[in-house]
Amino acid sequence: MDGRDLVRAVTTLGTAQGLRVMRSAWRRHRADAAGLPPRGAERARVPGPAEGAEPLPGGGTVRFARSELHIIVTVGGAVFRGWDGARPEPSYALAGPPPEPDPRAGLEPDKDGGWQVVSERLTVAVSRHGAVEIRTPGGVVLRRDLPPRWWEPVEGGPARWVQRSEIAADARLFGLGGRASGPRLRDGTYRLWNTAPRAGFGPGDDPLHITMPVQTVVADAGCHLAFHDNTWDGRVIVREGREGAGSGHDRPGTVEVRMDGGPLRSWVLVGPPARVLGGWAQLTGAPALPPSWALGPQHVRPGGEEDVRRAVDAHREHGLPLSAVHVGGGPRRAPAGPAADLEGFPRLSALAKDLRNDGVRLVRAVGPAVGAGPKEALYGHGSAAGLFVRDAGGAEVRGVSGRGDCVFPDFTDPRVREWWGELSGQGASEGFAGMWLDGNEPVSCTVFAGATLPRSSRHVLEGRGGDHREAHNVYGLAMARAAYEGMRGVFPEERPFVVSRSGWAGMQRYGGAWAGDVTAGWPGLRASLSLVLGLGLCGVPYSGPDVDGDDGPSAELFLRRLQLSSYMPLLRMRASASPWVYGPEVTAQARAVLVERRRLGPYFMTLAHLARLAGAPYVRPLWWRSPGDRALRDCEDAFLLGDSLLVAPVLEPGADRRAVRLPRGRWYDTHSGRPYDGPGQVLVDAPLSRIPVLARAGAVIPVLDDDGGAQGGASQAAGTRTGRVGLEVWAPAAGRRGGGLMVRDAGEGWAEPEIERYTSRLAGGRVVVERATDDGQSAVEGPVRVRGLE
């Protein structure tokens, strides 16, 4: 507890809410003391020497004196490894049945009493004492897992374990969910326990709302992704390697995973970044495709109907694009359940219809806490049906929300997801076009940070049964599933919109991630970028922070936050950061930012479809296409938006220029058209009105054509203007070709759109743009704007 928590405690404990919090904390302590007996004496165990093996399609089982290891190489090249009889299922991460074993791979004897599985893309070698190496076809070791160690309670209970791995000395580690200190994970300990940090967290706070045991490793020898499929509390200890100077030896990097229980099983995928994330999407599920309006500017309002209408009118008055308004919730207010009162919206259906006619959707904040008062109808129904989390003695677990005592649905129970899904669908039928899930780590409100349910709380866990130590990290994932399936059940012809504050591996199947309450200060800019990059490398492509104004940011900081967020998938501003609060000059600059985001709408829509098809994040690290470039691996202050744009946000106050690290090739400043050649570092203008954005030479980018006519109704009311979809083409470098993709969204439904491919080349001093089809090249239909010609 820091000073801020202490002040909050002192000011709260004397109130009725404070008394409820203290009573809840005592109940939590008492429940864990009774439901989780002490571990007592423990017995350590290692695999021991190999004693034999059983070959199977794709791999087999290696038997050791005190354990066994099951290895399968799948048809897609993913490698599964499970100790002590662990198999791929059951799993909350996998989208369905595990992929089929590769029939061409099999377990065979190796030297020194070990075993190996040889496949087209990699080799898995197992030593006679249980070390496992992942090698390239050329024999280069990408990862070496040392023999694991277990500690088993003598009196019985879950065994905790540790798995230590070695990676290349030059390797860089990314991932582990949303980390504010990243995206590159340096030496340190990272906890695997979804946590609600204090409001206004920054780069020094860890863990945050979404943690995942997903490691993306980038080295000269190649890239790989390692995933430990275990939902328990744990820690990952990272030690970066060091290359020897002169005749000195390299010191490999190490990654040590320590879990408090659960199975020791993992997956490894090897290849270039695009192939690795594509394989990860095949394994854990394709990212949900957001509706097209969800790629536009969104706004949060804490009030009721009149407040919402005033906000929409203000956007129209100031000419600011707007696609959705989020109601309820907030950084210090626990949102209500999906069937809670809507006193502020007496004419909800009419409001939703009016806004939809203006091109604006309503999104509702929803939390898991259900008020436990005797007059709460939702509580009465859920309690009678046994749908809430219970303690080891069978009593309902009570927590504290902003409205008083509460209980928590057990989303690991299919019955609960069906019930909650019906409630979510009811909200959709009343007019809400999407859901913003908040407080679903889950959080029981307290004056101290990080409070959750007792670890001894019992959960159904799909019928297996278990406690909160296993269910905590997947609670938000299961809640997102319930909301997504409920909304889709009511409106099967529309794509559901769900953003969740918490989740786990596989959450992208049900929607995106909201980054939580990042600090409004300058450190929050770096934390926001780190979170979005890290989540993208863990398979969650749709995410973003809020543009907040609760801490009274200056106009400069507000604009820099808005400029950064405008190039992220989820762009959302809070009421406290409304542009008009800062005056007409700032409003005009904010308008230019939002209009540019609207102009890039077709490009964002294309990236959304490509994320669904191939798992590639919208926001990518600079090394995405050049993982062998060490300078790019260490660059954390810029990112790629798709393959065509490089965005360099301003992260420091008072800056009007900034250094930008460029990947190989020619890049154009999209404002001035000035070309720069990479690799290398250049100094680019960054006035307060904009941040540096550079386009790759030869890029063909789908945009809204500025010459298109205004569209009435929706667009005008939202302060937007919609034109025809056209192409913005940046001249290729001499002797080089370029190209790009465009996916025209087929509406809000599920129709499979066509992927249009375009090429660009120089011919006789002019840029030729053509559409590539199965029958050859054809002329481009629609407007084309060529830029970058000197």
Side-chain angles (χ1 to χ4, degrees), residues 400-432:
V400 178
S401 72
R403 300 168 184 253
D405 283 2
C406 63
V407 291
F408 294 84
D410 181 7
F411 291 109
T412 69
D413 185 344
R415 297 184 306 135
V416 173
R417 291 198 297 272
E418 182 179 0
W419 171 64
W420 197 267
E422 292 175 356
L423 297 174
S424 301
Q426 176 184 342
S429 63
E430 291 174 349
F432 289 110

PDB file of all heavy atoms in Angstrom, residues 400-432:
ATOM      1  N   VAL A 400     -17.946  -6.316  -1.927  1.00  0.00           N
ATOM      2  CA  VAL A 400     -18.442  -4.962  -1.769  1.00  0.00           C
ATOM      3  C   VAL A 400     -18.316  -4.239  -3.096  1.00  0.00           C
ATOM      4  O   VAL A 400     -17.244  -4.240  -3.703  1.00  0.00           O
ATOM      5  CB  VAL A 400     -17.665  -4.189  -0.678  1.00  0.00           C
ATOM      6  CG1 VAL A 400     -18.174  -2.757  -0.576  1.00  0.00           C
ATOM      7  CG2 VAL A 400     -17.790  -4.888   0.662  1.00  0.00           C
ATOM      8  N   SER A 401     -19.398  -3.642  -3.560  1.00  0.00           N
ATOM      9  CA  SER A 401     -19.374  -2.794  -4.742  1.00  0.00           C
ATOM     10  C   SER A 401     -19.699  -1.372  -4.322  1.00  0.00           C
ATOM     11  O   SER A 401     -19.916  -1.097  -3.139  1.00  0.00           O
ATOM     12  CB  SER A 401     -20.394  -3.282  -5.780  1.00  0.00           C
ATOM     13  OG  SER A 401     -21.711  -2.991  -5.348  1.00  0.00           O
ATOM     14  N   GLY A 402     -19.737  -0.463  -5.292  1.00  0.00           N
ATOM     15  CA  GLY A 402     -20.057   0.917  -4.977  1.00  0.00           C
ATOM     16  C   GLY A 402     -21.461   1.093  -4.446  1.00  0.00           C
ATOM     17  O   GLY A 402     -21.796   2.123  -3.869  1.00  0.00           O
ATOM     18  N   ARG A 403     -22.328   0.079  -4.597  1.00  0.00           N
ATOM     19  CA  ARG A 403     -23.722   0.164  -4.164  1.00  0.00           C
ATOM     20  C   ARG A 403     -23.988  -0.651  -2.897  1.00  0.00           C
ATOM     21  O   ARG A 403     -25.124  -0.733  -2.453  1.00  0.00           O
ATOM     22  CB  ARG A 403     -24.636  -0.325  -5.288  1.00  0.00           C
ATOM     23  CG  ARG A 403     -24.497   0.494  -6.573  1.00  0.00           C
ATOM     24  CD  ARG A 403     -25.201  -0.192  -7.730  1.00  0.00           C
ATOM     25  NE  ARG A 403     -24.980   0.549  -8.972  1.00  0.00           N
ATOM     26  CZ  ARG A 403     -25.905   1.281  -9.566  1.00  0.00           C
ATOM     27  NH1 ARG A 403     -27.098   1.386  -9.036  1.00  0.00           N
ATOM     28  NH2 ARG A 403     -25.644   1.915 -10.690  1.00  0.00           N
ATOM     29  N   GLY A 404     -22.961  -1.299  -2.347  1.00  0.00           N
ATOM     30  CA  GLY A 404     -23.153  -2.089  -1.138  1.00  0.00           C
ATOM     31  C   GLY A 404     -22.657  -3.507  -1.323  1.00  0.00           C
ATOM     32  O   GLY A 404     -21.835  -3.792  -2.192  1.00  0.00           O
ATOM     33  N   ASP A 405     -23.164  -4.429  -0.488  1.00  0.00           N
ATOM     34  CA  ASP A 405     -22.754  -5.824  -0.590  1.00  0.00           C
ATOM     35  C   ASP A 405     -23.189  -6.397  -1.940  1.00  0.00           C
ATOM     36  O   ASP A 405     -24.235  -6.047  -2.491  1.00  0.00           O
ATOM     37  CB  ASP A 405     -23.379  -6.644   0.537  1.00  0.00           C
ATOM     38  CG  ASP A 405     -22.661  -6.423   1.869  1.00  0.00           C
ATOM     39  OD1 ASP A 405     -21.723  -5.607   1.884  1.00  0.00           O
ATOM     40  OD2 ASP A 405     -23.055  -7.042   2.865  1.00  0.00           O
ATOM     41  N   CYS A 406     -22.374  -7.300  -2.458  1.00  0.00           N
ATOM     42  CA  CYS A 406     -22.663  -7.875  -3.767  1.00  0.00           C
ATOM     43  C   CYS A 406     -22.182  -9.316  -3.813  1.00  0.00           C
ATOM     44  O   CYS A 406     -21.422  -9.778  -2.951  1.00  0.00           O
ATOM     45  CB  CYS A 406     -21.995  -7.063  -4.880  1.00  0.00           C
ATOM     46  SG  CYS A 406     -20.186  -7.039  -4.786  1.00  0.00           S
ATOM     47  N   VAL A 407     -22.625 -10.024  -4.835  1.00  0.00           N
ATOM     48  CA  VAL A 407     -22.181 -11.385  -5.112  1.00  0.00           C
ATOM     49  C   VAL A 407     -21.699 -11.416  -6.565  1.00  0.00           C
ATOM     50  O   VAL A 407     -21.919 -10.480  -7.333  1.00  0.00           O
ATOM     51  CB  VAL A 407     -23.304 -12.407  -4.888  1.00  0.00           C
ATOM     52  CG1 VAL A 407     -23.639 -12.515  -3.417  1.00  0.00           C
ATOM     53  CG2 VAL A 407     -24.551 -12.025  -5.699  1.00  0.00           C
ATOM     54  N   PHE A 408     -21.048 -12.527  -6.931  1.00  0.00           N
ATOM     55  CA  PHE A 408     -20.415 -12.601  -8.238  1.00  0.00           C
ATOM     56  C   PHE A 408     -20.854 -13.862  -8.973  1.00  0.00           C
ATOM     57  O   PHE A 408     -20.703 -14.973  -8.452  1.00  0.00           O
ATOM     58  CB  PHE A 408     -18.892 -12.598  -8.091  1.00  0.00           C
ATOM     59  CG  PHE A 408     -18.348 -11.312  -7.550  1.00  0.00           C
ATOM     60  CD1 PHE A 408     -18.316 -11.072  -6.182  1.00  0.00           C
ATOM     61  CD2 PHE A 408     -17.890 -10.325  -8.407  1.00  0.00           C
ATOM     62  CE1 PHE A 408     -17.836  -9.879  -5.682  1.00  0.00           C
ATOM     63  CE2 PHE A 408     -17.397  -9.132  -7.921  1.00  0.00           C
ATOM     64  CZ  PHE A 408     -17.367  -8.902  -6.557  1.00  0.00           C
ATOM     65  N   PRO A 409     -21.411 -13.713 -10.178  1.00  0.00           N
ATOM     66  CA  PRO A 409     -21.754 -14.903 -10.969  1.00  0.00           C
ATOM     67  C   PRO A 409     -20.502 -15.726 -11.274  1.00  0.00           C
ATOM     68  O   PRO A 409     -19.417 -15.184 -11.462  1.00  0.00           O
ATOM     69  CB  PRO A 409     -22.343 -14.317 -12.261  1.00  0.00           C
ATOM     70  CG  PRO A 409     -22.746 -12.915 -11.906  1.00  0.00           C
ATOM     71  CD  PRO A 409     -21.773 -12.465 -10.872  1.00  0.00           C
ATOM     72  N   ASP A 410     -20.677 -17.036 -11.335  1.00  0.00           N
ATOM     73  CA  ASP A 410     -19.572 -17.928 -11.661  1.00  0.00           C
ATOM     74  C   ASP A 410     -19.577 -18.188 -13.164  1.00  0.00           C
ATOM     75  O   ASP A 410     -20.248 -19.094 -13.653  1.00  0.00           O
ATOM     76  CB  ASP A 410     -19.712 -19.245 -10.894  1.00  0.00           C
ATOM     77  CG  ASP A 410     -18.573 -20.209 -11.189  1.00  0.00           C
ATOM     78  OD1 ASP A 410     -17.616 -19.802 -11.882  1.00  0.00           O
ATOM     79  OD2 ASP A 410     -18.645 -21.361 -10.729  1.00  0.00           O
ATOM     80  N   PHE A 411     -18.821 -17.380 -13.912  1.00  0.00           N
ATOM     81  CA  PHE A 411     -18.840 -17.481 -15.365  1.00  0.00           C
ATOM     82  C   PHE A 411     -18.134 -18.730 -15.883  1.00  0.00           C
ATOM     83  O   PHE A 411     -18.173 -18.985 -17.091  1.00  0.00           O
ATOM     84  CB  PHE A 411     -18.213 -16.234 -15.979  1.00  0.00           C
ATOM     85  CG  PHE A 411     -19.039 -14.993 -15.784  1.00  0.00           C
ATOM     86  CD1 PHE A 411     -18.623 -13.997 -14.916  1.00  0.00           C
ATOM     87  CD2 PHE A 411     -20.238 -14.838 -16.445  1.00  0.00           C
ATOM     88  CE1 PHE A 411     -19.382 -12.860 -14.715  1.00  0.00           C
ATOM     89  CE2 PHE A 411     -21.014 -13.713 -16.262  1.00  0.00           C
ATOM     90  CZ  PHE A 411     -20.591 -12.707 -15.383  1.00  0.00           C
ATOM     91  N   THR A 412     -17.504 -19.505 -15.021  1.00  0.00           N
ATOM     92  CA  THR A 412     -16.953 -20.780 -15.460  1.00  0.00           C
ATOM     93  C   THR A 412     -18.007 -21.877 -15.486  1.00  0.00           C
ATOM     94  O   THR A 412     -17.706 -23.027 -15.793  1.00  0.00           O
ATOM     95  CB  THR A 412     -15.782 -21.224 -14.558  1.00  0.00           C
ATOM     96  OG1 THR A 412     -16.274 -21.575 -13.263  1.00  0.00           O
ATOM     97  CG2 THR A 412     -14.744 -20.111 -14.428  1.00  0.00           C
ATOM     98  N   ASP A 413     -19.251 -21.515 -15.173  1.00  0.00           N
ATOM     99  CA  ASP A 413     -20.392 -22.429 -15.215  1.00  0.00           C
ATOM    100  C   ASP A 413     -21.184 -22.143 -16.492  1.00  0.00           C
ATOM    101  O   ASP A 413     -21.653 -21.021 -16.692  1.00  0.00           O
ATOM    102  CB  ASP A 413     -21.270 -22.205 -13.981  1.00  0.00           C
ATOM    103  CG  ASP A 413     -22.418 -23.198 -13.890  1.00  0.00           C
ATOM    104  OD1 ASP A 413     -22.731 -23.863 -14.901  1.00  0.00           O
ATOM    105  OD2 ASP A 413     -23.014 -23.305 -12.798  1.00  0.00           O
ATOM    106  N   PRO A 414     -21.359 -23.110 -17.389  1.00  0.00           N
ATOM    107  CA  PRO A 414     -22.128 -22.856 -18.616  1.00  0.00           C
ATOM    108  C   PRO A 414     -23.529 -22.336 -18.349  1.00  0.00           C
ATOM    109  O   PRO A 414     -24.066 -21.531 -19.129  1.00  0.00           O
ATOM    110  CB  PRO A 414     -22.158 -24.225 -19.304  1.00  0.00           C
ATOM    111  CG  PRO A 414     -20.953 -24.944 -18.780  1.00  0.00           C
ATOM    112  CD  PRO A 414     -20.789 -24.478 -17.368  1.00  0.00           C
ATOM    113  N   ARG A 415     -24.161 -22.752 -17.236  1.00  0.00           N
ATOM    114  CA  ARG A 415     -25.496 -22.238 -16.918  1.00  0.00           C
ATOM    115  C   ARG A 415     -25.468 -20.739 -16.670  1.00  0.00           C
ATOM    116  O   ARG A 415     -26.383 -20.009 -17.066  1.00  0.00           O
ATOM    117  CB  ARG A 415     -26.046 -22.950 -15.685  1.00  0.00           C
ATOM    118  CG  ARG A 415     -26.266 -24.448 -15.818  1.00  0.00           C
ATOM    119  CD  ARG A 415     -26.913 -24.976 -14.543  1.00  0.00           C
ATOM    120  NE  ARG A 415     -26.137 -24.594 -13.369  1.00  0.00           N
ATOM    121  CZ  ARG A 415     -26.662 -24.102 -12.247  1.00  0.00           C
ATOM    122  NH1 ARG A 415     -27.969 -23.921 -12.143  1.00  0.00           N
ATOM    123  NH2 ARG A 415     -25.888 -23.800 -11.217  1.00  0.00           N
ATOM    124  N   VAL A 416     -24.423 -20.290 -15.997  1.00  0.00           N
ATOM    125  CA  VAL A 416     -24.311 -18.863 -15.699  1.00  0.00           C
ATOM    126  C   VAL A 416     -24.082 -18.066 -16.975  1.00  0.00           C
ATOM    127  O   VAL A 416     -24.664 -16.996 -17.177  1.00  0.00           O
ATOM    128  CB  VAL A 416     -23.163 -18.625 -14.689  1.00  0.00           C
ATOM    129  CG1 VAL A 416     -22.912 -17.137 -14.496  1.00  0.00           C
ATOM    130  CG2 VAL A 416     -23.488 -19.295 -13.364  1.00  0.00           C
ATOM    131  N   ARG A 417     -23.228 -18.580 -17.857  1.00  0.00           N
ATOM    132  CA  ARG A 417     -22.986 -17.858 -19.112  1.00  0.00           C
ATOM    133  C   ARG A 417     -24.268 -17.754 -19.934  1.00  0.00           C
ATOM    134  O   ARG A 417     -24.518 -16.719 -20.575  1.00  0.00           O
ATOM    135  CB  ARG A 417     -21.884 -18.553 -19.914  1.00  0.00           C
ATOM    136  CG  ARG A 417     -20.504 -18.431 -19.283  1.00  0.00           C
ATOM    137  CD  ARG A 417     -19.421 -18.730 -20.304  1.00  0.00           C
ATOM    138  NE  ARG A 417     -19.479 -20.090 -20.804  1.00  0.00           N
ATOM    139  CZ  ARG A 417     -18.866 -21.129 -20.244  1.00  0.00           C
ATOM    140  NH1 ARG A 417     -18.141 -20.948 -19.158  1.00  0.00           N
ATOM    141  NH2 ARG A 417     -18.957 -22.335 -20.770  1.00  0.00           N
ATOM    142  N   GLU A 418     -25.074 -18.807 -19.926  1.00  0.00           N
ATOM    143  CA  GLU A 418     -26.339 -18.748 -20.665  1.00  0.00           C
ATOM    144  C   GLU A 418     -27.271 -17.711 -20.051  1.00  0.00           C
ATOM    145  O   GLU A 418     -27.898 -16.915 -20.756  1.00  0.00           O
ATOM    146  CB  GLU A 418     -27.000 -20.133 -20.666  1.00  0.00           C
ATOM    147  CG  GLU A 418     -28.303 -20.175 -21.442  1.00  0.00           C
ATOM    148  CD  GLU A 418     -28.928 -21.561 -21.443  1.00  0.00           C
ATOM    149  OE1 GLU A 418     -28.340 -22.479 -20.845  1.00  0.00           O
ATOM    150  OE2 GLU A 418     -30.011 -21.709 -22.047  1.00  0.00           O
ATOM    151  N   TRP A 419     -27.366 -17.702 -18.709  1.00  0.00           N
ATOM    152  CA  TRP A 419     -28.213 -16.732 -18.010  1.00  0.00           C
ATOM    153  C   TRP A 419     -27.728 -15.303 -18.256  1.00  0.00           C
ATOM    154  O   TRP A 419     -28.521 -14.423 -18.602  1.00  0.00           O
ATOM    155  CB  TRP A 419     -28.186 -17.079 -16.516  1.00  0.00           C
ATOM    156  CG  TRP A 419     -28.815 -16.072 -15.609  1.00  0.00           C
ATOM    157  CD1 TRP A 419     -30.136 -15.695 -15.588  1.00  0.00           C
ATOM    158  CD2 TRP A 419     -28.166 -15.332 -14.579  1.00  0.00           C
ATOM    159  NE1 TRP A 419     -30.335 -14.761 -14.594  1.00  0.00           N
ATOM    160  CE2 TRP A 419     -29.151 -14.523 -13.963  1.00  0.00           C
ATOM    161  CE3 TRP A 419     -26.858 -15.288 -14.100  1.00  0.00           C
ATOM    162  CZ2 TRP A 419     -28.854 -13.670 -12.895  1.00  0.00           C
ATOM    163  CZ3 TRP A 419     -26.565 -14.445 -13.041  1.00  0.00           C
ATOM    164  CH2 TRP A 419     -27.545 -13.638 -12.454  1.00  0.00           C
ATOM    165  N   TRP A 420     -26.442 -15.097 -18.087  1.00  0.00           N
ATOM    166  CA  TRP A 420     -25.883 -13.757 -18.282  1.00  0.00           C
ATOM    167  C   TRP A 420     -25.986 -13.341 -19.752  1.00  0.00           C
ATOM    168  O   TRP A 420     -26.209 -12.168 -20.061  1.00  0.00           O
ATOM    169  CB  TRP A 420     -24.430 -13.737 -17.826  1.00  0.00           C
ATOM    170  CG  TRP A 420     -23.885 -12.353 -17.589  1.00  0.00           C
ATOM    171  CD1 TRP A 420     -23.208 -11.570 -18.465  1.00  0.00           C
ATOM    172  CD2 TRP A 420     -23.963 -11.611 -16.379  1.00  0.00           C
ATOM    173  NE1 TRP A 420     -22.851 -10.383 -17.882  1.00  0.00           N
ATOM    174  CE2 TRP A 420     -23.300 -10.380 -16.600  1.00  0.00           C
ATOM    175  CE3 TRP A 420     -24.516 -11.850 -15.129  1.00  0.00           C
ATOM    176  CZ2 TRP A 420     -23.176  -9.400 -15.615  1.00  0.00           C
ATOM    177  CZ3 TRP A 420     -24.398 -10.875 -14.144  1.00  0.00           C
ATOM    178  CH2 TRP A 420     -23.739  -9.676 -14.393  1.00  0.00           C
ATOM    179  N   GLY A 421     -25.830 -14.298 -20.645  1.00  0.00           N
ATOM    180  CA  GLY A 421     -25.969 -13.998 -22.057  1.00  0.00           C
ATOM    181  C   GLY A 421     -27.383 -13.536 -22.393  1.00  0.00           C
ATOM    182  O   GLY A 421     -27.569 -12.622 -23.214  1.00  0.00           O
ATOM    183  N   GLU A 422     -28.396 -14.147 -21.772  1.00  0.00           N
ATOM    184  CA  GLU A 422     -29.762 -13.693 -21.992  1.00  0.00           C
ATOM    185  C   GLU A 422     -29.957 -12.266 -21.497  1.00  0.00           C
ATOM    186  O   GLU A 422     -30.627 -11.453 -22.150  1.00  0.00           O
ATOM    187  CB  GLU A 422     -30.738 -14.641 -21.284  1.00  0.00           C
ATOM    188  CG  GLU A 422     -30.802 -16.032 -21.903  1.00  0.00           C
ATOM    189  CD  GLU A 422     -31.671 -16.976 -21.104  1.00  0.00           C
ATOM    190  OE1 GLU A 422     -32.159 -16.544 -20.025  1.00  0.00           O
ATOM    191  OE2 GLU A 422     -31.866 -18.128 -21.533  1.00  0.00           O
ATOM    192  N   LEU A 423     -29.354 -11.943 -20.355  1.00  0.00           N
ATOM    193  CA  LEU A 423     -29.439 -10.580 -19.841  1.00  0.00           C
ATOM    194  C   LEU A 423     -28.715  -9.603 -20.767  1.00  0.00           C
ATOM    195  O   LEU A 423     -29.185  -8.489 -21.017  1.00  0.00           O
ATOM    196  CB  LEU A 423     -28.830 -10.509 -18.439  1.00  0.00           C
ATOM    197  CG  LEU A 423     -29.534 -11.333 -17.358  1.00  0.00           C
ATOM    198  CD1 LEU A 423     -28.737 -11.282 -16.064  1.00  0.00           C
ATOM    199  CD2 LEU A 423     -30.947 -10.824 -17.125  1.00  0.00           C
ATOM    200  N   SER A 424     -27.571 -10.027 -21.281  1.00  0.00           N
ATOM    201  CA  SER A 424     -26.834  -9.179 -22.218  1.00  0.00           C
ATOM    202  C   SER A 424     -27.632  -8.970 -23.497  1.00  0.00           C
ATOM    203  O   SER A 424     -27.670  -7.862 -24.057  1.00  0.00           O
ATOM    204  CB  SER A 424     -25.469  -9.807 -22.539  1.00  0.00           C
ATOM    205  OG  SER A 424     -24.703  -9.984 -21.368  1.00  0.00           O
ATOM    206  N   GLY A 425     -28.261 -10.025 -23.974  1.00  0.00           N
ATOM    207  CA  GLY A 425     -29.094  -9.902 -25.151  1.00  0.00           C
ATOM    208  C   GLY A 425     -30.287  -8.987 -24.926  1.00  0.00           C
ATOM    209  O   GLY A 425     -30.708  -8.248 -25.819  1.00  0.00           O
ATOM    210  N   GLN A 426     -30.824  -9.001 -23.694  1.00  0.00           N
ATOM    211  CA  GLN A 426     -31.926  -8.107 -23.362  1.00  0.00           C
ATOM    212  C   GLN A 426     -31.470  -6.652 -23.481  1.00  0.00           C
ATOM    213  O   GLN A 426     -32.179  -5.811 -24.025  1.00  0.00           O
ATOM    214  CB  GLN A 426     -32.423  -8.391 -21.954  1.00  0.00           C
ATOM    215  CG  GLN A 426     -33.512  -7.457 -21.474  1.00  0.00           C
ATOM    216  CD  GLN A 426     -33.897  -7.728 -20.028  1.00  0.00           C
ATOM    217  OE1 GLN A 426     -33.609  -8.789 -19.469  1.00  0.00           O
ATOM    218  NE2 GLN A 426     -34.549  -6.749 -19.412  1.00  0.00           N
ATOM    219  N   GLY A 427     -30.253  -6.360 -23.004  1.00  0.00           N
ATOM    220  CA  GLY A 427     -29.723  -5.004 -23.139  1.00  0.00           C
ATOM    221  C   GLY A 427     -29.550  -4.612 -24.591  1.00  0.00           C
ATOM    222  O   GLY A 427     -29.808  -3.469 -24.982  1.00  0.00           O
ATOM    223  N   ALA A 428     -29.125  -5.567 -25.428  1.00  0.00           N
ATOM    224  CA  ALA A 428     -28.966  -5.282 -26.850  1.00  0.00           C
ATOM    225  C   ALA A 428     -30.308  -4.999 -27.504  1.00  0.00           C
ATOM    226  O   ALA A 428     -30.436  -4.104 -28.339  1.00  0.00           O
ATOM    227  CB  ALA A 428     -28.272  -6.451 -27.540  1.00  0.00           C
ATOM    228  N   SER A 429     -31.339  -5.762 -27.126  1.00  0.00           N
ATOM    229  CA  SER A 429     -32.663  -5.549 -27.719  1.00  0.00           C
ATOM    230  C   SER A 429     -33.263  -4.223 -27.286  1.00  0.00           C
ATOM    231  O   SER A 429     -34.113  -3.660 -27.984  1.00  0.00           O
ATOM    232  CB  SER A 429     -33.597  -6.702 -27.329  1.00  0.00           C
ATOM    233  OG  SER A 429     -33.792  -6.730 -25.917  1.00  0.00           O
ATOM    234  N   GLU A 430     -32.833  -3.684 -26.142  1.00  0.00           N
ATOM    235  CA  GLU A 430     -33.341  -2.394 -25.678  1.00  0.00           C
ATOM    236  C   GLU A 430     -32.630  -1.218 -26.331  1.00  0.00           C
ATOM    237  O   GLU A 430     -33.062  -0.076 -26.162  1.00  0.00           O
ATOM    238  CB  GLU A 430     -33.204  -2.302 -24.160  1.00  0.00           C
ATOM    239  CG  GLU A 430     -34.142  -3.245 -23.408  1.00  0.00           C
ATOM    240  CD  GLU A 430     -33.889  -3.229 -21.912  1.00  0.00           C
ATOM    241  OE1 GLU A 430     -32.856  -2.650 -21.498  1.00  0.00           O
ATOM    242  OE2 GLU A 430     -34.701  -3.785 -21.154  1.00  0.00           O
ATOM    243  N   GLY A 431     -31.524  -1.499 -27.031  1.00  0.00           N
ATOM    244  CA  GLY A 431     -30.889  -0.408 -27.754  1.00  0.00           C
ATOM    245  C   GLY A 431     -29.390  -0.306 -27.637  1.00  0.00           C
ATOM    246  O   GLY A 431     -28.773   0.483 -28.352  1.00  0.00           O
ATOM    247  N   PHE A 432     -28.774  -1.079 -26.745  1.00  0.00           N
ATOM    248  CA  PHE A 432     -27.325  -1.008 -26.602  1.00  0.00           C
ATOM    249  C   PHE A 432     -26.653  -1.829 -27.702  1.00  0.00           C
ATOM    250  O   PHE A 432     -26.937  -3.006 -27.885  1.00  0.00           O
ATOM    251  CB  PHE A 432     -26.878  -1.505 -25.234  1.00  0.00           C
ATOM    252  CG  PHE A 432     -27.238  -0.571 -24.109  1.00  0.00           C
ATOM    253  CD1 PHE A 432     -28.206  -0.907 -23.182  1.00  0.00           C
ATOM    254  CD2 PHE A 432     -26.608   0.660 -23.997  1.00  0.00           C
ATOM    255  CE1 PHE A 432     -28.551  -0.049 -22.163  1.00  0.00           C
ATOM    256  CE2 PHE A 432     -26.948   1.533 -22.978  1.00  0.00           C
ATOM    257  CZ  PHE A 432     -27.929   1.185 -22.057  1.00  0.00           C
TER     258      PHE A 432
END
